[in-house]
Amino acid sequence: MDIIGIKMHGRQDDDSDFVLFSLEKDVNFIEPWQISGNAGRTLAYHTTKGSFIAIHLMKDAHISYGPYGFESMDRSTIVNVSKIKSKVPSETGTWIYFSDGSRVHVRKKFTN
């Protein structure tokens, strides 16, 4: 299984911060890691390519999942665009309906 991780150290704040690695082939060990004393713990993957943390911030998910067809619809929702069946405007944003019948409400207003 492939995982997209974020560099634990030496981030450049660009696409190079995200690395795709294989859980089976690359990971030596996994441990909980805390960025600061007040932050929650996340998983840290230690590989032969370096150490990476699991994606846990929306801004990182938006950047790293973009090439796979995901788009940020508002500050709290990232959508797989290829799965959208329709968008229906509402007073407070837009209802996005998916091919499987599920839906999500986003604050962004779409006209179509």
Side-chain angles (χ1 to χ4, degrees):
M1 176 170 87
D2 288 341
I3 298 171
I4 298 175
I6 307 164
K7 290 179 185 176
M8 284 178 65
H9 310 289
R11 287 187 67 165
Q12 302 296 314
D13 291 326
D14 61 22
D15 289 346
S16 71
D17 290 341
F18 303 95
V19 175
L20 183 67
F21 56 90
S22 168
L23 182 65
E24 300 93 346
K25 295 176 186 174
D26 297 322
V27 175
N28 294 326
F29 67 98
I30 302 167
E31 66 179 349
W33 187 72
Q34 199 168 6
I35 195 164
S36 70
N38 296 331
R41 290 179 178 252
T42 190
L43 295 178
Y45 300 89
H46 300 279
T47 75
T48 55
K49 299 176 184 181
S51 295
F52 308 95
I53 56 174
I55 293 173
H56 64 281
L57 297 175
M58 290 297 285
K59 70 176 186 145
D60 291 334
H62 168 73
I63 294 168
S64 62
Y65 297 160
Y68 301 97
F70 288 81
E71 187 177 314
S72 180
M73 297 291 151
D74 60 23
R75 292 181 64 191
S76 62
T77 310
I78 297 172
V79 171
N80 185 342
V81 176
S82 70
K83 304 280 186 175
I84 295 174
K85 182 177 178 181
S86 64
K87 299 175 189 171
V88 179
S90 73
E91 284 187 28
T92 57
T94 304
W95 280 103
I96 297 177
Y97 291 87
F98 298 94
S99 305
D100 68 355
S102 63
R103 68 183 185 167
V104 65
H105 189 266
V106 298
R107 291 183 296 261
K108 185 174 180 180
K109 291 192 178 214
F110 292 93
T111 56
N112 185 357

